[in-house]
Amino acid sequence: MAPPSRPDTSVGTSYATSPGPIVEARGVHKHFGALHVLKGVDLLVAETELVFIIGPSGSGKSTLLRCLNRLEEPSGGSIIVDGIDMLSRRTDLNRARQRIGMVFQSFNLYPHMTALGNVALALRKVVGQSRAEADTAGHAALARVGLADRADHYPSQLSGGQQQRVAIARAIALEPRVMLFDEPTSALDPELVGSVLAVMRSLRDSGMTMVVVSHEMGFARAAADRVVFMDDGRIVEEGPPTQVFGAPRHERTRAFIGQIERK
């Protein structure tokens, strides 16, 4: 988990100076006006770890995820991702975000572009690849999510699960160091969820570092290295799935787990 051997000044120059977690968020606060959504959250993620964040609606899970790549501006604290100080004024966020892939609940695909076009666009516009280079990398990313035969299809010609897999391909084509997933299956019909979770399992097996916010508790039990339970803007409890689901220590965690298991 060592930081880069020499600073990449095109991204930023505030790097960690010793081996440590690939994601290091400390004392993160977030206010929306008078609403205090995150209340001093500390989250450390090791390289290749899959961390699953659970909790009731409004607990701050998605806000925390969006603060990690500064889609939301934290009100306080520090965030280091892959050695990059995400809150430094010297950090080039566009370049930094190439290392932090993100998949949302909504697919956010361009309807007038094919699956390949959607994947290749960022490679051309952000990375600066030629069309041929971007298309080659785009085909490889689509193959990785099981959509090699759908490259020329438009979003309207794809199922919801296939569209979400295109969104994942778009993110991994940039070869990020960390992947963030914000409720990636919540907009899908139940029969389409499995195909997206299968891709996420494959990414996990390949060693991708992943932070996932989701209600897919079966996936969390089976695939997560660590489960983090949040409530009211704080991390209440964290540990391996067997502990958090099987023997939660905190009363609030026990109540939440009991509620979801009754559904």
Side-chain angles (χ1 to χ4, degrees), residues 19-248:
I22 192 169
V23 176
E24 183 175 358
R26 295 190 181 275
V28 177
H29 288 262
K30 177 60 183 176
H31 295 266
F32 291 102
L35 184 62
H36 197 177
V37 178
L38 296 178
K39 302 173 181 178
V41 174
D42 295 333
L43 178 67
L44 307 181
V45 181
E47 193 167 358
T48 76
E49 188 178 22
L50 194 167
V51 174
F52 209 99
I53 304 177
I54 64 173
S57 297
S59 59
K61 307 182 301 294
S62 293
T63 299
L64 174 60
L65 213 62
R66 293 169 67 89
C67 282
L68 293 181
N69 64 359
R70 274 184 65 187
L71 287 178
E72 294 289 355
E73 191 71 25
S75 305
S78 65
I79 298 173
I80 308 292
V81 180
D82 194 25
I84 303 167
D85 184 347
M86 296 299 295
L87 305 188
S88 171
R89 293 182 179 180
R90 295 184 293 173
T91 294
D92 182 336
L93 281 180
N94 289 329
R95 293 292 302 277
R97 286 174 181 150
Q98 292 180 38
R99 303 187 186 187
I100 313 169
M102 188 158 187
V103 176
F104 302 89
Q105 174 180 341
S106 55
F107 318 128
N108 298 323
L109 301 180
Y110 290 106
H112 64 287
M113 302 181 73
T114 64
L116 178 61
N118 271 278
V119 174
L121 181 64
L123 292 168
R124 292 192 290 113
K125 299 298 185 181
V126 177
V127 182
Q129 292 185 357
S130 69
R131 183 175 295 275
E133 290 172 329
D135 285 353
T136 297
H139 278 295
L142 287 170
R144 193 171 174 187
V145 300
L147 292 176
D149 60 343
R150 296 292 189 269
D152 295 329
H153 286 59
Y154 290 88
S156 62
Q157 298 171 308
L158 301 172
S159 70
Q162 289 171 333
Q163 290 184 60
Q164 188 62 294
R165 284 150 64 193
V166 172
I168 295 173
R170 178 177 56 192
I172 64 175
L174 293 171
E175 299 183 353
R177 298 273 287 132
V178 179
M179 282 288 292
L180 310 177
F181 291 86
D182 188 9
E183 300 284 6
T185 61
S186 62
L188 302 179
D189 293 333
E191 64 269 22
L192 301 177
V193 169
S195 64
V196 174
L197 294 184
V199 170
M200 294 173 67
R201 285 178 186 271
S202 176
L203 290 176
R204 186 246 188 275
D205 292 342
S206 73
M208 176 66 73
T209 304
M210 300 165 64
V211 183
V212 180
V213 169
S214 175
H215 294 291
E216 297 293 337
M217 299 302 164
F219 180 70
R221 289 175 184 268
D225 295 300
R226 180 160 47 103
V227 176
V228 173
F229 174 66
M230 289 187 66
D231 187 41
D232 192 28
R234 297 181 174 90
I235 291 178
V236 175
E237 184 168 349
E238 58 185 302
T242 51
Q243 180 254 302
V244 174
F245 289 112

